[in-house]
Amino acid sequence: MNEQSLLKDWISESRNIVFFGGAGVSTESNIPDFRGVDGLYHQEYQFPPETIISHSFYRSNPGEFFRFYKNKMLYPEAKPNAAHLALAKLEEMGKLKAVVTQNIDGLHQAAGSKNVLELHGSVRRNHCTRCMKFFTLEEMLSSMGEDGVPRCSCKGIIKPDVVLYEEGLDEDVISRSVASISQADMLIVGGTSLTVYPAAGLIDYYRGKRMVLINKTVTPMDDKADLVISGSIGEVLSRAVDI
Ligand SMILES: [Zn+2]
């Protein structure tokens, strides 16, 4: 039996699938992984992305932070791809119980997924740091002043609900992710190199015998997986779900 048909069989037999995904899920919607950076950034920015997207840099240099954020991390025109749609379909069929994602683009919800646990937050949610007022992505962008920093009518800076370097992950999202993964009868991991901690450590909570890894390249977890499929996450999942 080949890997693709084994995946299909396992999905048909499962009732509590959890998907754990990373940047590779969104690259198929043409959203680049900002960690996969090269020298190009140095022509435009004085600091590496990991420095700019940090809490201390946001505090000390909000203008440069928001310039990078707007130009390199926001893709408001991006659309869900085949992977997002297949996962939403599995949830609708009652088979998939949660999507745990490292992505911040909100594309799982755009595809129709309901129970999405966003480990690193979402660009779609923004709050005033002074009065806590909520702003959509579009409202945040249209609130940017001449210095490029988005401000509320109360003059407070509007901060994206995105987990920056130096900031901790949301405890509630973590505990719900641990609960989902530890109860899953099948865990599908895709589009992640499994190198970003603590998020990647969450898959250690899986206790079942059907851990599937779908990736274009090898990962440090390949040996622990029960099934490894090399390929496009969108193609593999849409074939497995028949959409
Ligand atoms: Zn405010």
Side-chain angles (χ1 to χ4, degrees):
M1 185 181 286
N2 71 27
E3 287 137 1
Q4 184 79 43
S5 55
L6 187 57
L7 173 64
K8 198 164 181 169
D9 283 0
W10 284 4
I11 288 175
S12 71
E13 290 164 13
S14 297
R15 295 288 174 272
N16 190 347
I17 303 170
V18 170
F19 177 79
F20 181 96
V25 176
S26 292
T27 52
E28 294 184 20
S29 289
N30 297 315
I31 297 179
D33 180 2
F34 76 90
R35 288 183 201 87
V37 292
D38 48 34
L40 284 176
Y41 282 85
H42 296 299
Q43 298 167 15
E44 250 183 293
Y45 297 91
Q46 271 188 298
F47 302 93
E50 288 79 1
T51 300
I52 301 176
I53 304 300
S54 69
H55 186 81
S56 51
F57 194 91
Y58 155 79
R59 291 293 298 251
S60 62
N61 203 340
E64 187 67 356
F65 169 87
F66 279 106
R67 186 168 76 93
F68 180 90
Y69 182 74
K70 184 181 174 187
N71 292 336
K72 300 292 177 193
M73 299 188 72
L74 296 181
Y75 296 86
E77 308 300 322
K79 298 276 184 294
N81 62 55
H84 298 107
L85 296 171
L87 292 164
K89 173 89 174 172
L90 282 174
E91 185 179 25
E92 188 189 306
M93 291 162 70
K95 290 188 165 291
L96 183 136
K97 302 303 179 192
V99 168
V100 181
T101 182
Q102 296 169 287
N103 299 333
I104 58 175
D105 48 54
L107 289 181
H108 285 292
Q109 291 93 331
S113 286
K114 301 282 185 279
N115 190 28
V116 183
L117 300 166
E118 297 169 306
L119 296 168
H120 297 159
S122 173
V123 301
R124 312 259 166 197
R125 296 186 302 268
N126 305 271
H127 286 90
C128 171
T129 50
R130 187 179 290 176
C131 75
M132 300 310 290
K133 185 182 170 194
F134 175 87
F135 292 82
T136 64
L137 174 55
E138 292 72 23
E139 289 166 344
M140 187 276 280
L141 286 171
S142 65
S143 304
M144 283 180 167
E146 279 179 22
D147 59 357
V149 179
R151 284 194 179 79
C152 177
S153 56
C154 82
K155 306 279 186 251
I157 292 180
I158 302 168
K159 186 173 184 283
D161 288 7
V162 166
V163 180
L164 306 179
Y165 286 97
E166 302 164 1
E167 293 178 344
L169 306 195
D170 184 279
E171 301 269 342
D172 180 56
V173 175
I174 290 283
S175 60
R176 285 161 63 206
S177 300
V178 167
S180 297
I181 291 169
S182 61
Q183 289 159 19
D185 61 6
M186 178 173 179
L187 178 66
I188 304 176
V189 180
T192 169
S193 56
L194 294 170
T195 51
V196 180
Y197 279 81
L202 285 172
I203 68 169
D204 291 339
Y205 287 94
Y206 178 62
R207 292 189 284 235
K209 299 222 177 314
R210 289 181 169 182
M211 180 162 109
V212 183
L213 271 187
I214 306 169
N215 240 328
K216 285 180 178 162
T217 55
V218 292
T219 78
M221 297 296 276
D222 282 13
D223 292 343
K224 286 177 86 175
D226 302 294
L227 176 63
V228 178
I229 303 181
S230 173
S232 144
I233 181 91
E235 283 173 26
V236 172
L237 283 182
S238 55
R239 263 187 269 140
V241 184
D242 278 334
I243 58 163

